[in-house]
Amino acid sequence: MTKISDLPRDLTEEVLSRLPVTSMRAVRFTCKNWNSLSKDRSFRKKHLRGAISAAKKKQTKEFQVIMMIQYRVYLFSVNLLNPSIERIGKLISLDVEDRVDISKIFHCHGLLLCITKDISRLVVWNPYSGQTRWIQPRNSYHRLDRYALGYEEKKNSCRSYKILRFMDNYEGDNPPYLIREFEIYDLNSDSWKVVDVPPDWEIEYYHRGLSLKGNTYWFAQEKLPIFPLGRVVSDMADFLLCFDFTRERFGPRLPLPFHSFVEDTVTLSSVRDKQLAVLFQPCYASTVKIWISSKIEPNAVSWRKVFLAVDMKPLTGFQFDINAGSFFVDQKKKVAMVLDKDRFRSKLTRNIAYIIGKKGYFKKVDLGESTVPSCASLVCSYVPSSTQI
C-alpha cells in the first residue's frame, strides 16, 4: 500500500504548499521527508507566497494577529465587525519547544523578540519556521530594560537584524544612583556593542516600542531632574522618538497630535506595517482618540485628522490601563480592538478584547481567564516570514 509520505516530491510539495501556516508544525512531525521538505528554501518561499496571498484576500473580512495572553503567544483570526476572535491553531511554539513563560513580545517583519517572565533571557523567534536564537547578555539583563527589534537594509536588499537594549533609571536611595546602559546586539555577528546615548528624554518601562519599516518608535517625554521627595510633576513635553537601526542612533523629537499628562493612556500600533497609529485616553476624560500617520520616517511624521473618537463613559466607564491598552486597527472598517482586563469586576479575572467604532459601535470578546492581573495582554499584526535567524 502506498503511503502519503511516499508520494513524488513535486506532488507532495504542491499539496503541502496549500496548507495554512498553523499546520506546518504537524507537517514537520509527520515524517522525516516532510520535515526536510518544510525546511527547504524553495518550498518555504512557495508556501509563504500562498499564505500571504490568502491572508490578503481574507483581510477584507479578517486579520491574522499574534496575541500574548497569560505569558503564552498565540495566533488568532480576528473579525472586528461580526465580531469574532478565534484561535486558529498553534505555531511551532516556544511554550511547546522550550517550556518558557513570555512576559513581553516585540514584532518585526515576521520575527518576534521575546522576553522571558523571569527577565533572565531573550530569544528571537520565527514562529513560521520554528527557529529560535537565544541571546546571551553582555553582562546581565534588568527588570527595567527597554527593548526593540529592527533591521538595517543593506544595498543587496538583505536585512541585518539587530536588538536595542537600554535602561536609564535611578535605583536605590540615600542617594539614588543612575544606571544608564545602551547597547546593540547584531544577529549577524552574534555580538553586543555599547552605544553612546546622552538622553534628554525619558521612556517609561511600560511603554512598548513599535517596529515599523525596520525602525522602532516610542512615546517619550522630557527628562526632568530629580526633585525633592514629595514633589510631583505631571505636565511635561511629550513626543514621538525613533531609533534608526541603520544609523544606530535616535532621531529628533517628532510631534504628536495631542498633549498628554503622566496618568494618561498612550499606546502605539501599526497599520498594515506601513503607518503608525496612536491611541490616547486622558485620565480626566472618557474619550478614546486614535490617529493614523500620513507619513512616518525616522526624522519626520505627519498626521491625518482623528481616525476614531469614542466616548467610553456609556460603554465601559473606565480608563484603559496605562500599562496595557495594546490595540489593533482595521482602517477600512474604522474600528479598533483594545486589550485590557474586565474592569467591571472587583477582581481582574478575565482578559477582554474591547471593540470600538463609530456611532456607538461596541462589542466585548472574552479571551479567557486572567490568573495574573499584572500580566497585560498584547496584540500585533502578523505576516509569516522565511527570514533565517
Side-chain angles (χ1 to χ4, degrees):
M1 180 183 293
T2 301
K3 299 179 181 179
I4 191 170
S5 57
D6 295 329
L7 291 173
R9 180 185 171 94
D10 57 345
L11 182 56
T12 302
E13 185 173 326
E14 183 63 31
V15 171
L16 297 185
S17 66
R18 297 173 184 268
L19 294 175
V21 170
T22 51
S23 297
M24 293 313 293
R25 180 173 181 273
V27 166
R28 292 186 175 99
F29 282 99
T30 299
C31 66
K32 290 182 179 180
N33 288 341
W34 285 16
N35 183 44
S36 298
L37 178 61
S38 69
K39 296 177 181 179
D40 181 79
R41 187 171 183 176
S42 63
F43 170 80
R44 285 203 308 267
K45 286 185 175 181
K46 182 176 181 178
H47 184 244
L48 278 175
R49 282 196 301 267
I52 292 171
S53 176
K56 286 181 178 179
K57 290 178 181 178
K58 282 186 174 183
Q59 281 183 359
T60 57
K61 294 183 179 180
E62 58 191 44
F63 293 83
Q64 284 189 359
V65 300
I66 280 182
M67 292 190 200
M68 190 200 79
I69 303 173
Q70 291 284 106
Y71 302 117
R72 292 289 185 268
V73 184
Y74 305 105
L75 183 66
F76 282 83
S77 174
V78 175
N79 186 324
L80 297 184
L81 284 185
N82 273 347
S84 66
I85 300 177
E86 179 185 2
R87 184 174 163 185
I88 59 178
K90 283 189 175 180
L91 300 167
I92 296 181
S93 175
L94 280 174
D95 45 296
V96 171
E97 297 288 318
D98 299 288
R99 304 289 180 184
V100 295
D101 288 339
I102 301 300
S103 64
K104 293 180 182 179
I105 56 171
F106 304 90
H107 175 255
C108 177
H109 196 65
L111 300 183
L112 293 179
L113 171 62
C114 302
I115 318 301
T116 59
K117 180 183 175 183
D118 61 7
I119 320 295
S120 66
R121 293 185 291 174
L122 304 186
V123 58
V124 179
W125 172 33
N126 185 331
Y128 171 73
S129 67
Q131 281 188 309
T132 57
R133 169 86 74 89
W134 291 93
I135 312 299
Q136 299 299 319
R138 186 175 63 88
N139 291 317
S140 62
Y141 299 128
H142 193 278
R143 62 184 178 85
L144 295 179
D145 282 343
R146 287 75 150 174
Y147 294 97
L149 177 64
Y151 59 79
E152 176 184 354
E153 194 83 60
K154 300 288 188 178
K155 292 182 179 179
N156 57 2
S157 297
C158 291
R159 289 170 175 168
S160 175
Y161 285 86
K162 303 175 184 179
I163 297 168
L164 172 68
R165 169 195 169 268
F166 69 94
M167 73 169 295
D168 184 40
N169 287 84
Y170 284 93
E171 290 276 274
D173 48 28
N174 296 325
Y177 57 94
L178 176 65
I179 302 178
R180 176 176 292 166
E181 297 177 354
F182 286 79
E183 55 188 22
I184 295 173
Y185 176 82
D186 189 312
L187 271 72
N188 285 347
S189 64
D190 187 24
S191 62
W192 290 94
K193 71 175 180 181
V194 175
V195 289
D196 182 25
V197 179
D200 58 356
W201 41 259
E202 191 160 8
I203 297 172
E204 295 291 348
Y205 72 92
Y206 53 81
H207 280 301
R208 296 172 58 250
L210 175 80
S211 178
L212 195 65
K213 303 175 186 177
N215 300 310
T216 298
Y217 296 82
W218 280 274
F219 169 75
Q221 294 174 305
E222 183 82 34
K223 179 184 282 292
L224 296 177
I226 296 180
F227 291 109
L229 188 65
R231 181 178 174 183
V232 177
V233 177
S234 60
D235 184 11
M236 59 194 82
D238 54 356
F239 41 88
L240 202 63
L241 201 63
C242 176
F243 185 80
D244 186 328
F245 275 93
T246 298
R247 301 174 65 196
E248 296 187 346
R249 66 180 65 177
F250 285 92
R253 300 180 180 190
L254 305 176
L256 289 163
F258 57 83
H259 176 56
S260 68
F261 293 84
V262 170
E263 297 299 322
D264 295 343
T265 299
V266 180
T267 317
L268 304 181
S269 183
S270 65
V271 181
R272 297 182 183 274
D273 291 325
K274 294 181 180 179
Q275 296 297 337
L276 185 144
V278 58
L279 178 150
F280 170 59
Q281 185 183 23
C283 63
Y284 58 83
S286 57
T287 299
V288 169
K289 292 184 179 181
I290 297 175
W291 288 264
I292 296 176
S293 64
S294 56
K295 173 186 177 181
I296 183 73
E297 296 175 355
N299 299 315
V301 64
S302 56
W303 300 95
R304 297 184 176 95
K305 63 181 182 179
V306 176
F307 166 73
L308 197 62
V310 180
D311 183 2
M312 301 301 295
K313 187 173 183 179
L315 305 177
T316 64
F318 60 77
Q319 177 190 357
F320 288 119
D321 187 359
I322 62 172
N323 296 301
S326 182
F327 76 105
F328 176 78
V329 164
D330 186 333
Q331 188 175 15
K332 289 185 177 180
K333 297 181 176 64
K334 296 187 181 298
V335 291
M337 177 178 74
V338 187
L339 302 189
D340 205 330
K341 307 294 183 181
D342 189 351
R343 298 189 178 276
F344 294 103
R345 301 169 181 262
S346 57
K347 293 184 178 180
L348 307 180
T349 59
R350 310 300 297 179
N351 292 298
I352 303 292
Y354 297 92
I355 303 172
I356 56 177
K358 291 192 171 183
K359 299 180 180 179
Y361 180 78
F362 176 71
K363 301 289 183 182
K364 286 173 54 182
V365 179
D366 192 316
L367 299 176
E369 185 179 14
S370 171
T371 58
V372 187
S374 61
C375 180
S377 299
L378 304 174
V379 62
C380 60
S381 59
Y382 175 71
V383 177
S385 168
S386 62
T387 300
Q388 298 291 299
I389 54 175

